[in-house]
Amino acid sequence: MKDDGQILNSGMEYETVELDEEGGSIVIIDQTLLPGKMELIHLRTAQEIWDAIYLLKVRGAPAIGVTAAFGIYLLAKGIDAGDYESFYREFIKQKDYLNSARPTAVNLSWALERMERVCQENKEQGINEIKEALKREAIAIKEEDVWVCRTIGEYGLGLVKPGDGILTHCNAGQLATSKYGTATAPIYLGQEKGYHFRVFADETRPLLQGARLTAYELKAAGVDVTLICDNMSAMVMKNGWIDAVFVGCDRVAWNGDTANKIGTSLVAIAAKRHKIPFYVCAPTSTIDRRTKTGGDIHIEQRPEEEVTSMWYKERMAPEGVKVYNPAFDVTDHDLITAVVTEYGIARAPYEKAFQEIFEKKEKALEAFRENGK
Ligand code: MRU
């Protein structure tokens, strides 16, 4: 078991989210302390898990999904119920609570719904068997995430060439997933192959995920990374330094409109102006068939302190000023060159392309169920 507050060396030899079965906890890196301190913390209670997600100690759509899966497993494990109905009632209560932590990243509800299905499908088994099945599912969600990210990286790598300049916004990196990241996966795979990309990381106001996390993890991995303020992306594009933009996503609507970290849509607009391809790296778990367009996406609003005083020695905005702090914006599908998934690259019209991607996924899952591969 790892100790609370254990300090790790910086670098890539870490797990963003880990299950500590023996200790009855989820172990995460407290991302709010990076890059100054690489510290592991343990989450045991529903409140601790909810707070860690809400406070962005663990963040990024896939990592939130994995945390929720481990979280609901641990909470379910602690349910003391004599029959399925009372177990299921308590399970749903805990599930709904975790699901309320953040609204935009669909991976949170996606993972929790997947865990709920495990309960339903094993209804006829004993409670202990259901708990074991939940554990297997949570581990599978994490393991799949590694494969998904690596495969997105392989597809993404085919869209760029050695020496290219790549711009990214926010952190869709290893810290946001189980490994490789989504938007960073082509960068890491290129690094393995000696592609020598020049990466530009937007600092990503107001919570600075680009400066604190993307710049940190890419630098630790030896990638040539340059940090820029959010308002500099148009200039580096105009300078001819950027050949492609790769970003992650929190929810992709069925028409291709994509919610990602606030500021992403500005980057997409600038990229279009400069004729630079703009790629969204999206696990299929982040593509939401039930959300028809970007207008249907619930955008999380965050506390005003994040804009006025966090990260500053002293408050830097006048007391009482009105603040608007949406955590995400929606990039319209016509600004997106392609959506890179683990089942291939989708291009407009997105409804048709996603339909094909999901059919391919369904076939692969069927083959896996039949042959175990
Ligand atoms: O508020 P955050 O830090 O959770 O926002 C994260 C992002 O916007 C990421 O780009 C997105 O979740 C994709 S992570 C692979």
Side-chain angles (χ1 to χ4, degrees), residues 264-283:
T264 303
S265 66
L266 265 176
V267 177
I269 291 164
K272 184 145 190 149
R273 173 74 176 88
H274 294 285
K275 299 189 172 53
I276 294 165
F278 181 93
Y279 300 115
V280 171
C281 295

Side-chain angles (χ1 to χ4, degrees), residues 32-104:
T32 59
L33 302 177
L34 288 172
K37 214 173 176 192
M38 179 63 131
E39 185 174 325
L40 296 177
I41 55 169
H42 288 249
L43 314 174
R44 293 188 176 85
T45 65
Q47 180 79 57
E48 283 170 355
I49 300 164
W50 193 97
D51 285 349
I53 295 173
Y54 178 73
L55 295 171
L56 275 59
K57 292 181 179 191
V58 57
R59 30 72 46 210
I64 291 173
V66 173
T67 306
F70 283 147
I72 194 67
Y73 158 62
L74 286 179
L75 298 173
K77 196 176 161 193
I79 298 174
D80 183 17
D83 59 85
Y84 177 77
E85 268 64 40
S86 31
F87 171 81
Y88 185 64
R89 216 176 307 118
E90 187 56 25
F91 178 94
I92 294 297
K93 212 167 101 191
Q94 303 283 15
K95 179 199 142 195
D96 289 348
Y97 177 62
L98 294 186
N99 198 31
S100 68
R102 294 189 79 188
T104 307

Side-chain angles (χ1 to χ4, degrees), residues 46 123 125 169 239 356:
K123 192 179 170 168
Q125 311 283 324
H169 188 75
N239 287 352
E356 285 165 11

Side-chain angles (χ1 to χ4, degrees), residues 31 53 56 58-64 102 105 107 149 169-173 175-177 181-183 204 207 209 212-213 247-251 259-262 264 281 283 286 300 302 327-328:
Q31 298 192 27
I53 295 173
L56 275 59
V58 57
R59 30 72 46 210
I64 291 173
R102 294 189 79 188
N107 300 61
C149 289
H169 188 75
C170 193
N171 174 265
L175 285 161
T177 63
T182 57
T204 318
L207 294 182
Q209 288 92 332
R212 296 187 304 105
L213 309 177
V247 294
C249 51
D250 285 81
R251 190 180 297 242
N260 190 49
K261 180 52 54 194
I262 190 72
T264 303
C281 295
T286 316
E300 176 184 6
R302 304 227 11 126
F328 304 97

